[in-house]
Amino acid sequence: MPKPLRIAEISPMLDFLALTDRVHAIGREIIAQYADEVDRNARFPSESLEALKAEKLLTAYVPIELGGMGLDISQLSKICEILGQYCASTAMIFAMHQIQVGCIVHHALGADFFANYARDMVKHQYLLASATTELGIGGDVRSSICAVKIDGELFTLDKQAPVISYGAMADAILVTCRQSEAAAKSDQVQVLVRRDDLTLTQLAGWDTLGFRGTCSCGFSLVSKGRVEQILPGPYAAIHSKTMHPFAHIVWGSLWLGIASDALGRARIAVRAEARKNPGVVPISGTRLAEADIVLFTMRSGLQSVLADYHRLLDANNQDAFSSFGFAIRVNNLKISSSNLVIDIVSRAMLICGIAGYKNDSKLSLGRHLRDAFGASLMVNNDRILGQNATMQIGQRD
Amino acid sequence: MSAQQIRELIAQHARLSVNANELGEDADLYSAGLTSLTTVNLMLALEDHFNVEFTDKMLGRKTFGSIRLLSEAIQELVAA
């Protein structure tokens, strides 16, 4: 097999298939090699992130004219899916980072500061984290207690964050907050704070069942900066156009990667079973065929929302992003994908049998299963279902 | 439509962070704490009170952005 090209060799006419081959190669040769240890020790997957940075993949969504790869959301989704097949923690860190990049690319490049920052991101492959949830608010990302305090050209911003994924490893954190101390809790802005300008005091650790490598500790964040670091416009618009759809698409993509790798392991088990009795299709083969239909359903949901999102991005109609119909469909993707990933990994477990149940077997599904259960909790499905219930009442036409 | 009636319904149903009775007719309701989800409560109350039905396209800032915008929109719905 020819060695996949490096990304620098593929450009300028980026061949996306060659790119995905390269990501698979990184996945096999580097990311998968560290996945179990990252999981066991709940440590940051630094080798994997370094490999992604070396290929400039952290700026995959930055437009070509600013030095990025200029990938679209479907292509980014595919990369998240591939990474999810090798290490869900690496994939989740990559996905969360891309959500922040998406917010900057969609909403802030008109401002000199952020256009320059995007060029710097390409050059230095900065890793961006997010601080949305807040102590006293819970998971409602559309409300903040903390506020940015502006004094001339400077600001200070403090936040008590129960979770900041890889916050201690990030080069910058995008923080949601009220736009002033007088503002209503839903009147928010999003602010980029740099590592050199912030202090994190750990409030809570991250010893969880799954996604252990995301190091999503709780922190008290104290920061300062210049007002130009506040993303233009209200966070409400950033949320409906980018944060909300982008997050559920990239998360759903990497969960799809977890599910498809689980079925890949199940397929190995079925093949071994079939070899023992040539000419007889084992019952596990039938189970695999059923599980693949569930995977098909999961993929179809993702494709459907991707198609919707592409259409709205092309039309760039802010009202359409804010419509209940679109928000409900994005939420449906989240709820549906997070349930299906558990279903698929459970089916794979039955097919793999004891080999899947063992932690030290090549077909082990322990990490997949533990990671899968995180999907319905990160933005709790009950919260999302409650929002959908309210929007169902409001939705017309 | 009476701005005062709308203001009272906002006070009861919109869960704003400010006293609705102090809101001017052009005050930005979203800055005062209205969100797309709390719009639904307010919409149901307005529909019930004025015996009108908002369309899907009206459930945004263009209609719910201020008391004046709401008043004009309801006026149109009543006349239709």
Side-chain angles (χ1 to χ4, degrees):
Chain A
M1 204 173 104
K3 195 173 168 56
L5 291 169
R6 292 187 61 83
I7 287 163
E9 297 170 302
I10 300 164
S11 139
M13 286 300 288
L14 187 71
D15 176 345
F16 188 64
L17 277 179
L19 175 60
T20 56
D21 283 350
R22 181 68 196 144
V23 177
H24 272 297
I26 295 169
R28 278 190 309 270
E29 291 161 17
I30 299 167
I31 299 173
Q33 303 306 316
Y34 293 96
D36 284 334
E37 193 221 317
V38 162
D39 176 60
R40 194 179 316 119
N41 299 331
R43 73 147 171 98
F44 185 71
S46 43
E47 299 85 356
S48 306
L49 265 293
E50 287 310 314
L52 297 172
K53 288 180 182 182
E55 301 289 350
K56 301 271 187 197
L57 277 160
L58 294 201
T59 42
Y61 197 70
V62 171
I64 291 170
E65 54 270 31
L66 294 173
M69 281 183 200
L71 298 193
D72 67 20
I73 182 68
S74 292
Q75 293 170 321
L76 201 57
S77 151
K78 188 68 199 174
I79 292 179
C80 292
E81 180 191 338
I82 295 171
L83 296 176
Q85 294 170 29
Y86 298 100
C87 170
S89 287
T90 299
M92 183 55 80
I93 294 164
F94 180 80
M96 288 182 153
H97 162 83
Q98 298 298 347
I99 300 165
Q100 309 314 307
V101 174
C103 290
I104 292 174
V105 167
H106 286 178
H107 300 273
L109 291 183
D112 287 345
F113 170 81
F114 283 102
N116 289 329
Y117 192 79
R119 288 188 193 94
D120 288 346
M121 281 197 295
V122 172
K123 190 171 169 194
H124 303 292
Q125 291 294 293
Y126 290 150
L127 179 65
L128 309 186
S130 170
T132 50
T133 54
E134 184 171 12
L135 289 176
I137 290 276
D140 178 13
V141 298
R142 283 291 287 107
S143 291
S144 292
I145 295 170
C146 67
V148 61
K149 295 170 194 164
I150 295 171
D151 182 12
E153 288 300 304
L154 305 176
F155 73 80
T156 58
L157 171 57
D158 304 341
K159 184 164 189 166
Q160 304 294 309
V163 173
I164 304 180
S165 294
Y166 56 91
M169 297 81 181
D171 296 295
I173 302 179
L174 272 75
V175 185
T176 51
C177 57
R178 287 182 298 139
Q179 59 122 331
S180 72
E181 286 180 280
K185 62 185 198 277
S186 60
D187 190 5
Q188 298 161 294
V189 288
Q190 193 177 21
V191 183
L192 182 141
V193 292
R194 303 192 229 220
R195 179 157 56 190
D196 289 348
D197 295 331
L198 67 88
T199 309
L200 295 175
T201 308
Q202 191 172 314
L203 299 174
W206 184 252
D207 182 4
T208 49
L209 274 182
F211 288 111
R212 293 170 56 81
T214 61
C215 303
S216 304
C217 299
F219 295 101
S220 170
L221 175 151
V222 176
S223 72
K224 60 184 169 56
R226 300 183 64 81
V227 289
E228 62 192 4
Q229 291 167 236
I230 302 172
L231 274 78
Y235 176 68
I238 296 175
H239 186 82
S240 60
K241 177 177 172 179
T242 307
M243 182 76 96
H244 181 234
F246 221 93
H248 293 320
I249 286 170
V250 292
W251 293 350
S253 306
L254 78 95
W255 300 335
L256 188 65
I258 298 172
S260 74
D261 188 58
L263 286 197
R265 290 177 189 220
R267 194 167 293 110
I268 293 170
V270 171
R271 219 175 272 142
E273 188 75 20
R275 274 196 208 104
K276 285 185 204 158
N277 277 312
V280 181
V281 175
I283 179 74
S284 60
T286 307
R287 295 276 177 242
L288 177 61
E290 283 180 328
D292 193 54
I293 297 171
V294 185
L295 186 73
F296 173 83
T297 304
M298 190 178 175
R299 188 180 296 283
S300 305
L302 176 64
Q303 294 299 340
S304 154
V305 171
L306 272 171
D308 257 6
Y309 194 39
H310 269 292
R311 201 162 45 242
L312 296 193
L313 283 174
D314 288 345
N316 199 20
N317 175 350
Q318 182 59 44
D319 285 349
F321 291 115
S322 310
S323 78
F324 285 160
F326 179 62
I328 288 171
R329 290 195 294 281
V330 169
N331 284 343
N332 286 348
L333 168 66
K334 197 282 178 178
I335 295 170
S336 154
S337 299
S338 59
N339 288 330
L340 291 178
V341 65
I342 296 172
D343 185 16
I344 293 167
V345 177
S346 306
R347 287 167 185 266
M349 186 74 83
L350 195 65
I351 296 166
C352 290
I354 293 296
Y357 196 63
K358 280 185 167 177
N359 281 323
D360 58 357
S361 111
K362 278 189 173 167
L363 299 185
S364 175
L365 290 167
R367 179 161 52 82
H368 298 66
L369 193 66
R370 289 182 288 102
D371 288 338
F373 272 99
S376 53
L377 311 177
M378 42 184 300
V379 191
N380 194 297
N381 278 4
D382 275 351
R383 171 186 298 281
I384 297 179
L385 205 54
Q387 291 170 351
N388 272 8
T390 302
M391 289 192 284
Q392 287 288 349
I393 296 167
Q395 193 186 18
R396 301 287 153 91
D397 301 340
Chain B
M1 283 301 129
S2 153
Q4 189 49 35
Q5 284 175 327
I6 293 172
R7 195 174 279 115
E8 281 167 19
L9 291 167
I10 289 171
Q12 287 168 40
H13 300 281
R15 298 182 206 161
L16 299 188
S17 54
V18 299
N19 183 353
N21 292 316
E22 291 167 12
L23 284 172
E25 286 193 29
D26 293 310
D28 182 343
L29 296 182
Y30 287 87
S31 295
L34 192 66
T35 67
S36 67
L37 287 178
T38 52
T39 303
V40 174
N41 283 326
L42 178 58
M43 176 198 73
L44 293 175
L46 291 166
E47 287 185 338
D48 193 44
H49 186 88
F50 294 107
N51 195 26
V52 293
E53 195 162 324
F54 290 100
T55 63
D56 208 31
K57 287 193 173 61
M58 298 176 83
L59 298 178
R61 283 173 180 267
K62 278 180 204 154
T63 306
F64 284 76
S66 70
I67 291 172
R68 188 185 306 281
L69 288 168
L70 273 171
S71 173
E72 287 166 4
I74 294 166
Q75 201 119 39
E76 270 179 43
L77 288 172
V78 169

